[in-house]
Amino acid sequence: MNLSRFFIGRPVATALLMLGIMVAGLMSYRSLPVADLPSVDFPTIMVRASMSGASPETMAASVAIPLEKQFSTIAGLDSMTSVNALGSTRIVLQFSLERDIDAAAQDVQTALAASQRSLPDDMPEPPGMRKVNPADSAIFYLALNSDTMRISDVNEYGENFMAQRISMIQGVAQVDVYGSQKYATRVQVDPQALAAVNLGLDEVAAALRSGNTNLPVGVIQGSNREYTIQSSGKLMSADEFRPLIVTWRNGAPVRLDAIANVVDSVENDQRRSWYNGKRSLVLAIQ
């Protein structure tokens, strides 16, 4: 039996059938449920910036405001929220639904490059950005600890090796590091020793900056040959910082270990995390 022939031979019945289907569809459409909280993924980008020792007011005035001025010119930006804490600034940019997240990320990267001249010169690293989904949360946690390694070494292995490898797995959006303990050399200056040699903290800070650089030195030119001078000025541990010459007094050098206690430590010694009673580093996988 040819189904099409049945409808072609009975046009009136076909028209009535289609009309009935249309009426039933319209009535059913009005009864369709509507989700009160639909699942919507807004294009969202988070920008982070850090500057050690800066107060929240300083971060807001010298870092957040210049960045916000650049971000406010991006098309399709719905909302911008900034949170300033001790030594850090976090800005969350939320775009309209019709805005492509990749195109928005390019605009944010361009705005970051344009704002470099307005940011403080003593920032350890430029601001970074990443795509985020505020509705997502970590579904898997890895705790790293060691009985023999320093927590800073565990942090370097977990953050620079494991987190990067895990983020390359298909389906992994990002890997957050909780309780980050990056290595740093801590210089505990003795005020009495500074006063004894008539030295200020700004001079000590300037000596640390100038003594811990990795810049090209130059060349030595002769009549027949030319030699390139290679010098690694990067200081990697407290033992290398201690003999650093801060200044000269009465023809004698004043070294760093004479006016300060130099120890191996971490960038933020107020942040710690534990797992089963052990100092640990936690990788949160989304």
Side-chain angles (χ1 to χ4, degrees):
M1 179 180 178
N2 192 343
L3 186 62
S4 301
R5 184 171 182 173
F6 174 82
F7 290 104
I8 294 174
R10 295 170 176 79
V12 177
T14 302
L16 292 176
L17 179 61
M18 296 303 298
L19 181 61
I21 294 175
M22 183 180 67
V23 173
L26 292 175
M27 295 178 62
S28 301
Y29 179 77
R30 299 181 60 184
S31 301
L32 288 176
V34 178
D36 295 333
L37 297 173
S39 178
V40 178
D41 294 335
F42 286 92
T44 307
I45 295 176
M46 183 171 61
V47 178
R48 289 182 179 272
S50 60
M51 187 167 60
S52 300
S55 64
E57 293 79 8
T58 302
M59 295 298 298
S62 60
V63 179
I65 291 179
L67 291 176
E68 291 174 354
K69 289 182 179 179
Q70 293 293 333
F71 295 152
S72 61
T73 61
I74 300 177
L77 182 62
D78 278 352
S79 64
M80 178 168 50
T81 305
S82 62
V83 178
N84 300 285
L86 180 63
S88 65
T89 292
R90 183 183 64 187
I91 303 176
V92 178
L93 308 173
Q94 183 173 300
F95 296 87
S96 56
L97 284 174
E98 60 272 9
R99 187 68 199 274
D100 181 67
I101 184 63
D102 294 327
Q106 293 180 0
D107 293 341
V108 172
Q109 189 64 48
T110 302
L112 287 175
S115 63
Q116 290 298 319
R117 295 184 178 181
S118 302
L119 298 177
D121 296 332
D122 54 349
M123 291 186 67
E125 58 185 13
M129 53 155 283
R130 68 178 182 182
K131 307 171 189 176
V132 297
N133 186 356
D136 287 343
S137 59
I139 62 173
F140 194 74
Y141 294 89
L142 288 176
L144 308 178
N145 55 59
S146 175
D147 296 330
T148 58
M149 297 173 59
R150 297 181 303 181
I151 189 63
S152 58
D153 296 333
V154 176
N155 180 91
E156 183 177 0
Y157 178 79
E159 189 169 354
N160 298 333
F161 180 75
M162 291 188 61
Q164 294 184 7
R165 292 295 184 90
I166 294 174
S167 62
M168 297 170 61
I169 299 175
Q170 184 177 2
V172 175
Q174 63 185 13
V175 180
D176 291 327
V177 181
Y178 295 161
S180 176
Q181 296 286 303
K182 294 182 179 180
Y183 172 81
T185 300
R186 194 168 296 276
V187 179
Q188 302 168 345
V189 181
D190 184 0
Q192 296 181 354
L194 286 181
V197 293
N198 193 21
L199 197 63
L201 281 175
D202 54 342
E203 297 177 88
V204 177
L208 291 173
R209 285 193 296 267
S210 61
N212 187 28
T213 57
N214 192 13
L215 300 175
V217 180
V219 296
I220 298 178
Q221 295 180 345
S223 57
N224 299 321
R225 294 184 180 181
E226 182 177 283
Y227 298 93
T228 301
I229 304 176
Q230 296 182 355
S231 175
S232 178
K234 197 72 173 177
L235 305 180
M236 304 301 295
S237 65
D239 292 335
E240 297 178 358
F241 271 95
R242 291 188 182 99
L244 179 67
I245 297 178
V246 179
T247 186
W248 290 78
R249 290 291 186 269
N250 300 323
V254 178
R255 300 188 182 275
L256 186 62
D257 57 355
I259 59 173
N261 181 28
V262 186
V263 295
D264 293 318
S265 182
V266 293
E267 289 184 358
N268 189 352
D269 58 356
Q270 304 299 320
R271 177 194 302 161
R272 297 187 179 186
S273 60
W274 285 266
Y275 179 77
N276 287 340
K278 293 184 178 181
R279 286 285 305 277
S280 303
L281 179 74
V282 179
L283 303 182
I285 304 171
Q286 296 184 8

